[in-house]
Amino acid sequence: MTSSDNAQQSAAPAKAPAKDPWDLPDVSGLVVGVLGGTGPQGKGLAYRLARAGQKVIIGSRAAERAQSAADELGYGVEGADNAECARRSDIVIVAVPWDGHGKTLESLREELSGKLVVDCVNPLGFDKKGAYALKPEEGSAAEQAAALLPDSRVTAAFHHLSAVLLQDPEIEEIDTDVMVLGEVRADVEIVQALAGRIPGMRGIFSGRLRNAHQVESLVANLISVNRRYKAHAGLRLTDV
Protein backbone atom coordinates (compact mmCIF):
# COMPACT_ATOMS: atom_id res chain seq x y z
CA MET A 1 0.00 0.00 0.00
CA THR A 2 1.39 3.39 -1.01
CA SER A 3 1.56 6.50 1.13
CA SER A 4 -1.15 8.06 -1.03
CA ASP A 5 -3.44 5.07 -0.26
CA ASN A 6 -2.82 5.60 3.46
CA ALA A 7 -3.67 9.28 3.11
CA GLN A 8 -6.92 8.50 1.30
CA GLN A 9 -7.92 6.02 4.00
CA SER A 10 -7.15 8.45 6.80
CA ALA A 11 -9.17 11.16 5.04
CA ALA A 12 -12.28 8.98 4.74
CA PRO A 13 -15.17 10.49 6.73
CA ALA A 14 -16.06 8.78 9.96
CA LYS A 15 -19.35 6.90 9.97
CA ALA A 16 -22.09 8.91 11.65
CA PRO A 17 -23.25 7.43 14.96
CA ALA A 18 -26.63 5.71 14.93
CA LYS A 19 -29.53 7.95 15.88
CA ASP A 20 -30.69 7.53 19.45
CA PRO A 21 -34.19 5.98 19.17
CA TRP A 22 -35.26 8.03 22.18
CA ASP A 23 -34.23 11.32 20.55
CA LEU A 24 -37.75 12.42 19.71
CA PRO A 25 -39.07 15.73 18.35
CA ASP A 26 -40.74 18.50 20.33
CA VAL A 27 -44.47 18.21 19.59
CA SER A 28 -45.73 20.56 22.28
CA GLY A 29 -46.79 23.20 19.76
CA LEU A 30 -48.86 20.90 17.53
CA VAL A 31 -52.65 20.96 17.51
CA VAL A 32 -54.19 17.53 18.06
CA GLY A 33 -57.64 16.69 16.76
CA VAL A 34 -59.58 13.69 18.03
CA LEU A 35 -62.25 12.31 15.72
CA GLY A 36 -64.71 10.47 17.92
CA GLY A 37 -63.72 12.70 20.79
CA THR A 38 -67.10 12.35 22.46
CA GLY A 39 -66.69 8.58 22.91
CA PRO A 40 -64.92 7.06 25.94
CA GLN A 41 -61.54 6.39 24.28
CA GLY A 42 -61.38 9.62 22.32
CA LYS A 43 -62.56 11.72 25.22
CA GLY A 44 -60.01 10.09 27.52
CA LEU A 45 -57.14 10.73 25.11
CA ALA A 46 -58.26 14.33 24.60
CA TYR A 47 -58.36 14.85 28.36
CA ARG A 48 -54.89 13.40 28.98
CA LEU A 49 -53.23 15.29 26.14
CA ALA A 50 -54.87 18.59 27.08
CA ARG A 51 -53.97 18.07 30.72
CA ALA A 52 -50.36 17.61 29.58
CA GLY A 53 -50.47 20.99 27.84
CA GLN A 54 -51.34 19.98 24.28
CA LYS A 55 -53.81 22.06 22.27
CA VAL A 56 -56.72 19.69 21.57
CA ILE A 57 -59.84 19.90 19.41
CA ILE A 58 -62.41 17.13 19.64
CA GLY A 59 -64.59 16.30 16.69
CA SER A 60 -68.04 14.81 16.35
CA ARG A 61 -70.68 14.59 13.65
CA ALA A 62 -72.51 17.33 15.58
CA ALA A 63 -70.50 20.41 16.56
CA GLU A 64 -72.79 21.08 19.53
CA ARG A 65 -72.14 17.64 20.96
CA ALA A 66 -68.39 18.12 20.52
CA GLN A 67 -68.45 21.50 22.24
CA SER A 68 -70.47 20.10 25.14
CA ALA A 69 -67.87 17.36 25.65
CA ALA A 70 -65.06 19.91 25.34
CA ASP A 71 -66.64 22.09 28.02
CA GLU A 72 -66.74 19.07 30.35
CA LEU A 73 -63.03 18.40 29.84
CA GLY A 74 -61.73 21.94 30.34
CA TYR A 75 -57.98 22.58 29.83
CA GLY A 76 -58.76 24.71 26.78
CA VAL A 77 -60.21 21.83 24.76
CA GLU A 78 -62.38 22.99 21.87
CA GLY A 79 -65.19 21.18 20.06
CA ALA A 80 -66.07 21.19 16.37
CA ASP A 81 -67.67 19.04 13.74
CA ASN A 82 -65.38 16.38 12.29
CA ALA A 83 -64.49 18.33 9.15
CA GLU A 84 -63.46 21.47 11.03
CA CYS A 85 -61.58 19.39 13.59
CA ALA A 86 -59.58 17.75 10.81
CA ARG A 87 -58.87 21.05 9.02
CA ARG A 88 -57.61 22.84 12.14
CA SER A 89 -55.38 20.05 13.46
CA ASP A 90 -51.78 19.07 12.73
CA ILE A 91 -52.25 15.54 14.05
CA VAL A 92 -55.61 13.78 13.87
CA ILE A 93 -56.36 10.80 16.12
CA VAL A 94 -59.09 8.51 14.78
CA ALA A 95 -61.08 7.09 17.71
CA VAL A 96 -64.43 6.44 16.04
CA PRO A 97 -66.38 3.17 16.42
CA TRP A 98 -65.23 0.45 14.02
CA ASP A 99 -68.59 0.23 12.29
CA GLY A 100 -68.31 3.89 11.23
CA HIS A 101 -64.56 3.91 10.57
CA GLY A 102 -64.53 3.58 6.79
CA LYS A 103 -67.40 5.98 6.05
CA THR A 104 -66.02 8.62 8.42
CA LEU A 105 -62.55 8.61 6.87
CA GLU A 106 -63.86 8.49 3.32
CA SER A 107 -65.98 11.58 3.98
CA LEU A 108 -62.96 13.46 5.38
CA ARG A 109 -60.40 12.56 2.70
CA GLU A 110 -59.99 16.17 1.57
CA GLU A 111 -59.77 17.63 5.09
CA LEU A 112 -57.23 14.99 6.14
CA SER A 113 -55.01 15.47 3.07
CA GLY A 114 -51.42 16.14 4.17
CA LYS A 115 -52.26 15.49 7.84
CA LEU A 116 -50.58 13.03 10.17
CA VAL A 117 -53.36 10.57 11.01
CA VAL A 118 -53.13 8.27 14.05
CA ASP A 119 -55.57 5.37 13.88
CA CYS A 120 -56.39 3.77 17.24
CA VAL A 121 -59.47 1.80 16.20
CA ASN A 122 -59.79 -1.87 17.16
CA PRO A 123 -62.00 -3.98 14.89
CA LEU A 124 -63.75 -6.30 17.36
CA GLY A 125 -66.79 -8.50 17.49
CA PHE A 126 -68.64 -9.67 20.60
CA ASP A 127 -70.64 -12.80 21.32
CA LYS A 128 -71.48 -14.98 24.33
CA LYS A 129 -67.84 -16.05 24.55
CA GLY A 130 -66.62 -12.46 24.78
CA ALA A 131 -64.59 -10.21 22.50
CA TYR A 132 -62.85 -11.47 19.37
CA ALA A 133 -60.79 -9.84 16.64
CA LEU A 134 -62.17 -9.03 13.21
CA LYS A 135 -59.88 -8.84 10.18
CA PRO A 136 -60.79 -6.11 7.69
CA GLU A 137 -60.39 -6.78 3.99
CA GLU A 138 -57.38 -4.41 3.93
CA GLY A 139 -55.74 -6.32 6.81
CA SER A 140 -56.37 -3.91 9.68
CA ALA A 141 -58.15 -0.68 10.56
CA ALA A 142 -54.89 1.22 10.04
CA GLU A 143 -54.39 -0.28 6.58
CA GLN A 144 -57.99 0.56 5.72
CA ALA A 145 -57.26 4.15 6.77
CA ALA A 146 -54.14 4.22 4.59
CA ALA A 147 -56.13 2.93 1.62
CA LEU A 148 -58.89 5.48 2.09
CA LEU A 149 -56.52 8.39 2.77
CA PRO A 150 -53.81 8.18 0.07
CA ASP A 151 -52.79 11.81 0.63
CA SER A 152 -52.45 11.48 4.42
CA ARG A 153 -49.58 10.15 6.55
CA VAL A 154 -51.21 7.25 8.37
CA THR A 155 -49.82 5.71 11.55
CA ALA A 156 -51.36 3.47 14.22
CA ALA A 157 -51.15 3.86 18.03
CA PHE A 158 -53.05 4.19 21.34
CA HIS A 159 -54.89 0.87 20.95
CA HIS A 160 -54.39 -0.62 24.42
CA LEU A 161 -55.41 2.21 26.73
CA SER A 162 -58.15 1.96 29.32
CA ALA A 163 -60.78 4.64 28.78
CA VAL A 164 -61.64 4.38 32.48
CA LEU A 165 -58.08 5.22 33.55
CA LEU A 166 -57.69 7.94 30.92
CA GLN A 167 -60.77 9.77 32.17
CA ASP A 168 -60.08 9.42 35.91
CA PRO A 169 -58.86 12.83 37.19
CA GLU A 170 -57.49 11.22 40.36
CA ILE A 171 -54.90 9.24 38.38
CA GLU A 172 -51.75 11.27 37.79
CA GLU A 173 -49.85 8.80 35.57
CA ILE A 174 -50.93 6.20 33.01
CA ASP A 175 -48.54 3.29 33.55
CA THR A 176 -48.33 1.82 30.05
CA ASP A 177 -46.46 1.67 26.77
CA VAL A 178 -47.98 2.67 23.44
CA MET A 179 -47.08 0.58 20.38
CA VAL A 180 -46.65 2.90 17.38
CA LEU A 181 -46.68 1.63 13.80
CA GLY A 182 -46.05 3.44 10.55
CA GLU A 183 -44.16 3.63 7.28
CA VAL A 184 -42.14 6.81 7.82
CA ARG A 185 -39.76 7.08 10.74
CA ALA A 186 -40.25 10.81 11.23
CA ASP A 187 -44.03 10.38 11.48
CA VAL A 188 -43.72 7.49 13.92
CA GLU A 189 -41.39 9.55 16.10
CA ILE A 190 -43.90 12.41 16.24
CA VAL A 191 -46.54 9.98 17.53
CA GLN A 192 -44.06 8.45 19.99
CA ALA A 193 -43.31 11.93 21.30
CA LEU A 194 -47.01 12.71 21.57
CA ALA A 195 -47.57 9.57 23.67
CA GLY A 196 -44.63 10.59 25.84
CA ARG A 197 -46.36 13.87 26.69
CA ILE A 198 -48.71 11.89 28.95
CA PRO A 199 -47.01 11.14 32.31
CA GLY A 200 -46.15 7.47 32.74
CA MET A 201 -46.56 6.66 29.07
CA ARG A 202 -43.95 5.73 26.44
CA GLY A 203 -44.37 5.49 22.69
CA ILE A 204 -42.41 2.60 21.17
CA PHE A 205 -41.88 1.85 17.47
CA SER A 206 -43.48 -1.53 16.77
CA GLY A 207 -43.27 -2.08 13.02
CA ARG A 208 -44.94 -1.07 9.80
CA LEU A 209 -48.65 -0.86 9.13
CA ARG A 210 -48.71 -4.41 7.80
CA ASN A 211 -48.19 -5.48 11.43
CA ALA A 212 -51.14 -3.48 12.75
CA HIS A 213 -53.67 -6.32 12.75
CA GLN A 214 -52.12 -8.23 15.64
CA VAL A 215 -51.70 -5.02 17.64
CA GLU A 216 -55.36 -4.10 17.14
CA SER A 217 -56.42 -7.69 17.88
CA LEU A 218 -54.59 -7.82 21.21
CA VAL A 219 -57.33 -5.67 22.71
CA ALA A 220 -59.61 -8.72 22.68
CA ASN A 221 -57.12 -10.46 24.98
CA LEU A 222 -56.91 -7.43 27.26
CA ILE A 223 -60.70 -7.38 27.57
CA SER A 224 -60.54 -10.99 28.74
CA VAL A 225 -57.83 -10.09 31.27
CA ASN A 226 -59.85 -7.16 32.56
CA ARG A 227 -63.00 -9.23 33.01
CA ARG A 228 -61.25 -12.03 34.86
CA TYR A 229 -59.16 -9.84 37.17
CA LYS A 230 -61.49 -6.82 37.48
CA ALA A 231 -58.62 -4.70 36.13
CA HIS A 232 -57.79 -2.04 33.54
CA ALA A 233 -54.78 -3.81 32.01
CA GLY A 234 -52.27 -2.14 29.72
CA LEU A 235 -48.91 -3.15 28.26
CA ARG A 236 -45.28 -2.72 29.27
CA LEU A 237 -42.51 -3.84 26.90
CA THR A 238 -39.46 -5.09 28.80
CA ASP A 239 -35.76 -4.44 28.09
CA VAL A 240 -36.49 -1.37 25.95
Side-chain angles (χ1 to χ4, degrees):
M1 184 179 292
T2 67
S3 59
S4 62
D5 290 333
N6 288 329
Q8 288 178 352
Q9 282 193 349
S10 62
K15 187 176 181 180
K19 185 179 184 296
D20 181 352
W22 296 111
D23 180 15
L24 301 173
D26 178 9
V27 297
S28 59
L30 299 180
V31 178
V32 179
V34 184
L35 303 180
T38 59
Q41 189 81 354
K43 196 172 182 180
L45 276 169
Y47 171 68
R48 286 291 159 179
L49 289 168
R51 180 169 162 171
Q54 208 76 35
K55 174 60 185 173
V56 176
I57 304 170
I58 59 176
S60 177
R61 285 178 296 179
E64 297 81 7
R65 187 180 177 197
Q67 189 57 55
S68 177
D71 292 341
E72 289 178 29
L73 295 179
Y75 293 100
V77 177
E78 296 182 37
D81 63 45
N82 283 331
E84 183 181 353
C85 173
R87 279 194 297 268
R88 292 178 56 196
S89 302
D90 302 303
I91 305 173
V92 179
I93 297 174
V94 180
V96 300
W98 166 240
D99 58 7
H101 181 264
K103 287 184 179 179
T104 299
L105 295 185
E106 194 170 19
S107 70
L108 297 172
R109 181 176 296 168
E110 182 178 344
E111 289 83 0
L112 291 171
S113 177
K115 305 287 184 177
L116 176 54
V117 174
V118 187
D119 201 296
C120 68
V121 175
N122 303 300
L124 297 176
F126 296 87
D127 60 19
K128 292 181 180 180
K129 295 181 180 180
Y132 60 94
L134 303 174
K135 189 161 188 179
E137 181 180 346
E138 298 85 354
S140 64
E143 288 170 294
Q144 182 183 88
L148 292 172
L149 304 172
D151 299 320
S152 302
R153 297 140 54 205
V154 176
T155 60
F158 300 116
H159 300 92
H160 308 133
L161 306 180
S162 163
V164 173
L165 298 184
L166 288 174
Q167 294 185 77
D168 188 341
E170 299 300 316
I171 294 176
E172 296 293 329
E173 296 188 358
I174 305 295
D175 181 24
T176 194
D177 287 330
V178 171
M179 301 177 76
V180 185
L181 303 98
E183 301 300 317
V184 179
R185 180 168 181 169
D187 292 338
V188 170
E189 289 181 345
I190 289 172
V191 181
Q192 287 180 263
L194 186 65
R197 295 273 288 158
I198 300 173
M201 199 175 286
R202 296 188 307 172
I204 297 180
F205 170 68
S206 302
R208 293 178 178 268
L209 290 185
R210 68 180 183 180
N211 293 320
H213 171 65
Q214 57 264 37
V215 173
E216 296 169 0
S217 301
L218 188 57
V219 173
N221 302 88
L222 291 177
I223 290 173
S224 297
V225 170
N226 291 338
R227 287 181 174 173
R228 174 62 62 90
Y229 298 101
K230 304 293 189 290
H232 302 292
L235 296 180
R236 275 294 187 201
L237 302 179
T238 62
D239 199 33
V240 178

